[in-house]
Amino acid sequence: MAMFSLLRGAWCSVARRAVGPQPGRWLGEAGGDGQAALRRRLDGLVKKDKVVVFIKGTPAQPMCGFSNAVVQILRMHGVEGYGAYNVLDEQDIRQGIKNYSNWPTIPQIYFDGEFVGGCDILLQMHQNGDLVEELKKLGIRSALLDVEREETK
């Protein structure tokens, strides 16, 4: 995960420059009990399941191509029972999760409460094989391992 933390840090740095500072709008800054309550709620959501995604739409009906890609990658690996939150349902969650992770886009993926990144990072992990290893750390066996085994028989 260290490599992904570095990638995430680099992307977050770029994102902060692109978006610019928003005093009083970032969670954790002064802004009232509403922001503190939202931060506590988001803390609970990202830690509720081993794999958590914030997407536009639902896994059964993603509402954007990037959300669909995340759902399809998880499906390919046989990841089931993950937490999925539709950011289109609640504007507070939609903006709040961006502030929480300091990542400007949706979808967002979390493993064991730790922010992994967006669709691009998950796709890269899938392509280079790191996703299989990260899922293994979570106690999830990738279905792609079974496909590979069948192909080598």
Side-chain angles (χ1 to χ4, degrees), residues 60 73 79 91 117 126:
I73 291 168
V79 179
Q91 188 60 36
H126 166 69

Side-chain angles (χ1 to χ4, degrees), residues 65-118:
F66 297 113
S67 295
N68 185 49
V70 165
V71 168
Q72 294 305 320
I73 291 168
L74 293 175
R75 188 172 292 145
M76 260 189 277
H77 286 270
V79 179
E80 298 176 355
Y82 57 92
Y85 300 95
N86 181 357
V87 300
L88 299 176
D89 283 346
E90 293 182 63
Q91 188 60 36
D92 285 349
I93 295 290
R94 185 175 186 171
Q95 186 57 46
I97 197 63
K98 293 176 186 180
N99 296 344
Y100 179 86
S101 64
N102 206 13
W103 189 265
T105 59
I106 302 294
Q108 292 189 12
I109 300 97
Y110 291 79
F111 289 168
D112 256 348
E114 184 178 336
F115 179 64
V116 174

Side-chain angles (χ1 to χ4, degrees), residues 19-39:
V19 173
Q22 297 178 338
R25 294 197 35 90
W26 297 102
L27 294 173
E29 293 181 5
D33 291 336
Q35 287 186 2
L38 180 57
R39 183 165 185 80

Side-chain angles (χ1 to χ4, degrees), residues 86-152:
N86 181 357
V87 300
L88 299 176
D89 283 346
E90 293 182 63
Q91 188 60 36
D92 285 349
I93 295 290
R94 185 175 186 171
Q95 186 57 46
I97 197 63
K98 293 176 186 180
N99 296 344
Y100 179 86
S101 64
N102 206 13
W103 189 265
T105 59
I106 302 294
Q108 292 189 12
I109 300 97
Y110 291 79
F111 289 168
D112 256 348
E114 184 178 336
F115 179 64
V116 174
C119 176
D120 53 343
I121 302 295
L122 191 69
L123 179 59
Q124 181 181 17
M125 291 173 70
H126 166 69
Q127 290 172 334
N128 67 21
D130 289 340
L131 185 54
V132 171
E133 293 303 314
E134 293 302 320
L135 291 173
K136 184 178 179 181
K137 290 177 187 176
L138 299 173
I140 300 171
R141 179 177 169 78
S142 172
L144 292 184
L145 293 174
D146 299 329
V147 171
E148 289 175 7
R149 182 179 294 143
E150 290 297 317
E151 289 176 353
T152 59

